[in-house]
């Protein structure tokens, strides 16, 4: 009876040691999952801040584009007015030297305005490409954030499961 009691006591002690080792392993695993969840949360917050900054940049670029488009329309109107003035001056039979000078000056202004319009068109196209790229980056960042959210949720579920065990 004493041998059986000793044997059972040894078995109980061994089972307790195994239980303690398993418990410590589970605690380490849960701690590791918590650390991973914290790191993932920090990365998610950084990605969200980056997405917000890109949103602000996109808004600023769109505001600049609107201003450039307004200036473009204004310059087109000025070109039209200048071209009309040049045509009117050319149509006058009794052109005087001052009118010829004015006509030449207006032609130069029209040429300058056309160059500005061409430059603005190029800038508008460039800014529109940048805006499109920023929007794509923003959408990509949002997709990454959603992916990180699902990973965090999965890690939280694992931690809950391990804590429950």
């Amino acid at each position: 009876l004493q041998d059986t009691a000793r044997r059972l006591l040894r078995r109980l002690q061994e089972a307790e040691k195994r239980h303690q080792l398993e418990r410590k392993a589970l605690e380490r695993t849960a701690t590791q999952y918590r650390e991973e969840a914290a790191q993932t949360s920090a990365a998610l917050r950084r990605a969200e801040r980056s997405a917000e900054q890109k949103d602000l940049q996109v808004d600023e670029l769109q505001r600049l584009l609107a201003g450039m488009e307004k200036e473009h329309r204004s310059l087109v109107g000025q070109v039209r007015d200048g071209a009309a003035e040049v045509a009117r001056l050319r149509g006058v039979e009794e052109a005087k030297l001052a009118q010829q000078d004015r006509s030449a000056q207006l032609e130069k202004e029209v040429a300058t305005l056309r160059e500005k319009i061409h430059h603005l068109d190029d800038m508008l196209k460039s800014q529109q490409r940048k805006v499109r790229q920023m929007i794509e980056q923003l959408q990509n960042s949002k997709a990454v954030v959603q992916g990180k959210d699902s990973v965090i949720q999965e890690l939280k579920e694992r931690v809950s499961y391990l804590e429950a065990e």
Side-chain angles (χ1 to χ4, degrees):
L1 187 61
Q2 285 179 348
D3 286 342
T4 304
R6 277 188 225 124
R7 212 172 347 152
L8 288 174
L9 181 62
R10 268 186 266 128
R11 283 186 190 168
L12 177 64
Q13 290 172 345
E14 289 172 4
E16 284 179 0
K17 285 180 184 177
R18 279 192 309 269
H19 176 71
Q20 288 296 328
L21 290 174
E22 288 174 3
R23 182 173 175 223
K24 287 180 182 179
L26 285 175
E27 287 174 355
R28 281 192 301 270
T29 304
T31 301
Q32 181 183 359
Y33 284 145
R34 279 191 207 103
E35 290 172 359
E36 288 176 12
Q39 291 172 356
T40 305
S41 293
L44 176 64
R45 285 189 296 275
R46 285 191 302 271
E48 286 173 346
R49 281 193 298 270
S50 173
E52 289 172 3
Q53 289 174 349
K54 290 190 183 208
D55 274 341
L56 292 175
Q57 289 175 347
V58 165
D59 290 343
E60 179 65 18
L61 286 174
Q62 287 176 336
R63 187 186 63 77
L64 289 173
L65 277 174
M68 286 180 187
E69 287 171 354
K70 182 179 178 182
E71 186 176 348
H72 178 266
R73 286 189 297 272
S74 170
L75 289 175
V76 166
Q78 289 177 5
V79 165
R80 208 174 19 250
D81 293 344
E85 179 73 13
V86 167
R88 187 186 67 76
L89 288 176
R90 281 187 182 158
V92 175
E93 293 275 343
E94 303 168 12
K96 295 180 182 172
L97 183 58
Q99 289 176 333
Q100 290 174 352
D101 290 341
R102 176 72 179 143
S103 176
Q105 181 184 2
L106 286 173
E107 285 178 356
K108 287 179 184 177
E109 286 180 15
V110 166
T112 302
L113 290 172
R114 283 189 177 134
E115 287 178 19
K116 285 183 180 180
I117 287 172
H118 181 69
H119 178 68
L120 270 175
D121 282 340
D122 291 343
M123 287 179 64
L124 277 172
K125 289 175 185 174
S126 173
Q127 290 300 324
Q128 287 170 343
R129 278 193 298 272
K130 286 181 183 178
V131 168
R132 275 190 237 111
Q133 289 173 350
M134 295 285 288
I135 289 171
E136 288 174 11
Q137 287 177 351
L138 182 61
Q139 289 171 345
N140 291 340
S141 294
K142 287 181 181 178
V144 167
V145 167
Q146 289 174 349
K148 298 256 182 194
D149 276 341
S150 64
V151 168
I152 288 172
Q153 187 61 35
E154 182 180 317
L155 288 173
K156 285 180 180 178
E157 290 173 6
R158 284 185 188 172
V159 168
S160 298
Y161 174 76
L162 290 172
E163 286 177 348
E165 272 193 3

